[in-house]
Amino acid sequence: MKILNYGSCNVDNVYTLDHIVTEGETEAAEALAVFPGGKGLNQSIALAKAGLSVFHAGCVGADGDFLLELLRENGVNTDWVKQSSEKSGHAVIQVTKHGENCILVYPGANGEIREEDVTETLSHFEAGDWILLQNELAKTEFILKEAEKRGLRILLNPSPCNEALLAADLSSVSVLILNETEAALLSGEKEPLAALERLKKKYPRTQLMLTLGEEGSLFWDGKSLHPQKAYPAEAVDTTAAGDTFTGYFIAGLFEGLPPQEILSRASLAAAIAVSRRGASVSIPRRDEVEAAMARRHSENE
Ligand code: RIB
């Protein structure tokens, strides 16, 4: 059984400032740092750091060699990542001293995915293999349809959640991994438990992983609801905390671990990520997560 992540790769331009700039305002940033990012790349790296063999598919620009190298250094297979003459996708990220962020994404080469690329890539995968998707690439709906035709198990992080995704048929998705905002958009309910109930009715065959930031998370595995508290963290930069959680959560599902173990490991990995700057570079390795977990157990004994 293989796992493919068809996802975005971005260059993240991270500006540190006092507060998030609002409409009509101009503010000088205190620092600029450039990091590899993109929800797709971050999640592939999180999956790999959690211990899985991952195939990444997508598209980087002529300036994207360092993104490909980073994926390969982390053991991610990049045979199905195209390189185009466009610029790579990029993000403009404002991060405050308290770790809050605000992200603007320019698709760049992520918009260069063609239907023939999808068909060719998916022809290397078979029924029962897993495919992970976010919503920062062109052709998300087409990928969903092709993956369903091939009998792949589809895991979707509907982020960013836009009009096109809201109109798409998501009934073939086996696992939805979504935050409060995405849950509210897909369900029409603001309150998390009400949103979850609505989503259970809307997608009766789908497992639902709802992340709630500092409030923890809720996992509906199709039979029972598993709540998880968030681990306390000194937030420096919350960018990619969700991607870290997603990678570790999926790795745990893929390995068939019990739900509570999956959730506590994913939450702790995300707590470590928010205590560091940057996106993919902030994602902890599995041995770091396990060491932190062991420390917590011994402290609580
Ligand atoms: O989820 C964080 C990511 O969102 C960043 O790395 C940025 O590139 C945007 O895609």
Side-chain angles (χ1 to χ4, degrees):
M1 193 164 74
K2 294 193 282 203
I3 180 159
L4 167 70
N5 180 12
Y6 220 132
S8 60
C9 299
N10 289 338
V11 179
D12 287 355
N13 299 298
V14 182
Y15 299 87
T16 308
L17 26 66
D18 180 66
H19 61 274
I20 306 283
V21 179
T22 54
E23 198 179 329
E25 190 186 17
T26 304
E27 200 197 330
E30 290 162 20
L32 165 63
V34 179
F35 291 112
K39 292 183 196 308
L41 178 142
N42 297 339
Q43 292 181 19
S44 277
I45 289 182
L47 285 163
K49 286 190 172 176
L52 293 198
S53 292
V54 191
F55 295 83
H56 188 97
C59 185
V60 297
D63 56 350
D65 286 344
F66 80 104
L67 299 171
L68 285 171
E69 276 158 26
L70 183 86
L71 285 165
R72 290 179 193 138
E73 275 164 23
N74 280 280
V76 176
N77 180 303
T78 58
D79 289 355
W80 294 291
V81 182
K82 285 201 314 181
Q83 199 155 13
S84 85
S85 54
E86 243 281 19
K87 278 183 80 167
S88 292
H90 74 256
V92 174
I93 306 183
Q94 301 179 42
V95 178
T96 71
K97 288 169 188 153
H98 308 292
E100 297 131 347
N101 71 14
C102 172
I103 304 181
L104 179 153
V105 183
Y106 174 72
N110 296 308
E112 300 279 294
I113 305 293
R114 305 277 170 260
E115 292 189 356
E116 50 271 30
D117 302 324
V118 176
T119 316
E120 160 62 14
T121 300
L122 296 196
S123 72
H124 297 274
F125 295 84
E126 57 188 29
D129 286 339
W130 291 27
I131 183 167
L132 169 62
L133 299 170
Q134 309 78 31
N135 193 30
E136 280 188 343
L137 274 190
K139 304 288 172 212
T140 303
E141 235 191 303
F142 183 76
I143 303 173
L144 279 168
K145 284 191 187 131
E146 286 300 296
E148 184 185 11
K149 265 196 226 161
R150 294 193 160 268
L152 303 186
R153 179 171 164 79
I154 303 170
L155 299 96
L156 174 69
N157 171 216
S159 180
C161 196
N162 56 12
E163 290 297 324
L165 197 67
L166 288 173
D169 175 12
L170 304 183
S171 57
S172 61
V173 175
S174 295
V175 188
L176 264 176
I177 305 123
L178 67 186
N179 65 21
E180 242 172 308
T181 311
E182 292 143 8
L185 286 168
L186 280 168
S187 69
E189 295 281 354
K190 276 196 180 144
E191 203 276 316
L193 279 175
L196 203 62
E197 285 310 311
R198 187 66 72 88
L199 292 172
K200 273 157 70 174
K201 292 204 180 83
K202 194 171 172 188
Y203 308 115
R205 292 180 296 134
T206 306
Q207 295 185 325
L208 302 165
M209 179 67 250
L210 178 58
T211 59
L212 304 168
E214 288 174 6
E215 301 303 314
S217 56
L218 294 168
F219 176 40
W220 168 250
D221 67 4
K223 291 190 191 110
S224 328
L225 188 63
H226 305 272
Q228 170 69 40
K229 286 189 182 144
Y231 286 94
E234 188 96 353
V236 171
D237 181 356
T238 54
T239 314
D243 298 330
T244 305
F245 185 98
T246 299
Y248 270 83
F249 169 72
I250 293 172
L253 280 186
F254 197 80
E255 288 176 20
L257 299 178
Q260 219 53 60
E261 193 177 331
I262 297 176
L263 295 176
S264 61
R265 209 170 61 159
S267 303
L268 189 51
I272 297 172
V274 305
S275 68
R276 301 169 175 173
R277 290 194 193 284
S280 56
V281 293
S282 72
I283 301 169
R285 291 187 320 270
R286 185 181 181 135
D287 57 345
E288 293 176 79
V289 179
E290 280 168 3
M293 187 68 78
R295 271 198 304 280
R296 279 176 191 276
H297 284 318
S298 66
E299 280 163 15
N300 292 336
E301 270 166 12

